[in-house]
C-alpha cells in the first residue's frame, strides 16, 4: 500500500508499507526537495535519478556501507544540504557496534564532507566551519579500511607466554658491584 500526498508544486510525502530495495520510481519526480527512505532494504547499489533540487535525504537504517554511493550522491543531488545515514554500516557509532568510537565517527564525517562539500547538516550534527576545513584538507585520507580476517597473516609458530608475576618483586639482597669478590662464595652444589 502506497500513499502519496502532494504538499505543494514540488513537495511530496510518501508513505510505503513495503520495504524498498530500489528507488527506480523516482524518475518522474525530478523536482523533489525532500526524501525520507528510512528503515528499508536499500544497499550500496542505490541509484537515484538526477534530482537537482533535492536538499534533504535521510537513508537511516538501511544496508549501506557506502564508498561508491557518496560519489553517486554528489552527481545526482548537487543541492544536497542535509544527509542522514544513521543505523547503516557506513555510519560508525558506538550504539550499533562496540568496536567503534567517537574518533571513527569523526573520520567518517570528514570523509563524507570531503565527498559532499555542500552539506550543512550530517546525521545529528550541524557541520561547523573548522570541520569543513579539515574535511577539505584531509577528508580524502579519512576512509577507514580494516583488513578482513582472511587477509591477515597468521604465524605458524606457537608461542608460550608465561605470566610475568614476580619479576618486579622486591629482592632482599641488592648487588651494587663496588665490593665484588667474584664467584668465591659459590659452591659446586649451587651451580
Amino acid at each position: 500500500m502506497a500513499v502519496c500526498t502532494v504538499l505543494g508544486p514540488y513537495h511530496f510525502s510518501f508513505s510505503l508499507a513495503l520495504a524498498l530495495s530500489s528507488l527506480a520510481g523516482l524518475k518522474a519526480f525530478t523536482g523533489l526537495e525532500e526524501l525520507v527512505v528510512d528503515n528499508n532494504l536499500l544497499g550500496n547499489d542505490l541509484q537515484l535519478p538526477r534530482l537537482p533540487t533535492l536538499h534533504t535525504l535521510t537513508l537511516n537504517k538501511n544496508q549501506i556501507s557506502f564508498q561508491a554511493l557518496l560519489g553517486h550522491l554528489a552527481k545526482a543531488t548537487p543541492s544536497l544540504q542535509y544527509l542522514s545515514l544513521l543505523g547503516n554500516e557506513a555510519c560508525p557509532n558506538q550504539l550499533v557496534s562496540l568496536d567503534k568510537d567517537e574518533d571513527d565517527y569523526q573520520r567518517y564525517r570528514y570523509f563524507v564532507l570531503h565527498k559532499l562539500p555542500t552539506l550543512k547538516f550530517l546525521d545529528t550534527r550541524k557541520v561547523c566551519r573548522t570541520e569543513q576545513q579539515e574535511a577539505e584538507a584531509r577528508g580524502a585520507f579519512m576512509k577507514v579500511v580494516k583488513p578482513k580476517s582472511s587477509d591477515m597473516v597468521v604465524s605458524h609458530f606457537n608461542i608460550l607466554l608465561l605470566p610475568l608475576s614476580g619479576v618486579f618483586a622486591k629482592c632482599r639482597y641488592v648487588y651494587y658491584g663496588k665490593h665484588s669478590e667474584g664467584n668465591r662464595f659459590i659452591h659446586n652444589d649451587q651451580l
Side-chain angles (χ1 to χ4, degrees):
M1 176 180 107
V3 176
C4 177
T5 307
V6 179
L7 303 173
Y10 294 106
H11 296 287
F12 299 96
S13 172
F14 290 97
S15 175
L16 298 170
L18 301 173
L20 298 175
S21 60
S22 170
L23 296 177
L26 290 178
K27 290 180 182 177
F29 301 99
T30 57
L32 196 62
E33 293 180 356
E34 296 178 17
L35 181 60
V36 178
V37 282
D38 295 343
N39 300 312
N40 285 291
L41 301 173
L42 301 172
N44 294 330
D45 58 345
L46 174 66
Q47 292 294 312
L48 291 172
R50 179 142 170 87
L51 301 169
T53 58
L54 187 75
H55 59 77
T56 302
L57 177 62
T58 64
L59 294 165
N60 299 321
K61 293 186 179 178
N62 279 286
Q63 298 171 350
I64 298 170
S65 62
F66 91 122
Q67 305 309 325
L69 178 63
L70 293 178
H72 172 68
L73 287 178
K75 293 175 186 172
T77 59
S79 302
L80 192 63
Q81 297 177 2
Y82 303 93
L83 175 65
S84 185
L85 295 169
L86 293 170
N88 289 293
E89 185 183 333
C91 178
N93 95 28
Q94 296 165 324
L95 298 175
V96 175
S97 179
L98 296 175
D99 64 333
K100 306 293 183 196
D101 60 8
E102 185 62 31
D103 291 336
D104 291 327
Y105 181 72
Q106 191 58 55
R107 283 190 293 275
Y108 148 81
R109 284 182 64 86
Y110 289 145
F111 187 73
V112 171
L113 293 173
H114 170 74
K115 293 289 193 176
L116 301 168
T118 60
L119 289 182
K120 294 181 180 177
F121 202 88
L122 178 59
D123 297 328
T124 60
R125 294 192 326 216
K126 185 177 180 179
V127 176
C128 64
R129 179 182 295 275
T130 57
E131 194 174 36
Q132 187 64 41
Q133 291 170 344
E134 185 73 18
E136 288 173 11
R138 295 183 188 92
F141 309 108
M142 296 294 176
K143 177 181 172 185
V144 178
V145 178
K146 294 185 179 179
K148 297 177 184 174
S149 60
S150 62
D151 295 340
M152 299 188 68
V153 177
V154 178
S155 174
H156 296 287
F157 299 102
N158 291 330
I159 300 173
L160 178 62
L161 299 175
L162 300 174
L164 296 175
S165 62
V167 172
F168 296 107
K170 290 185 179 182
C171 185
R172 213 167 101 183
Y173 301 103
V174 179
Y175 173 72
Y176 291 106
K178 79 181 191 186
H179 300 296
S180 175
E181 296 187 30
N183 293 331
R184 73 181 205 166
F185 296 107
I186 298 177
H187 300 261
N188 285 340
D189 62 337
Q190 294 174 335
L191 294 176

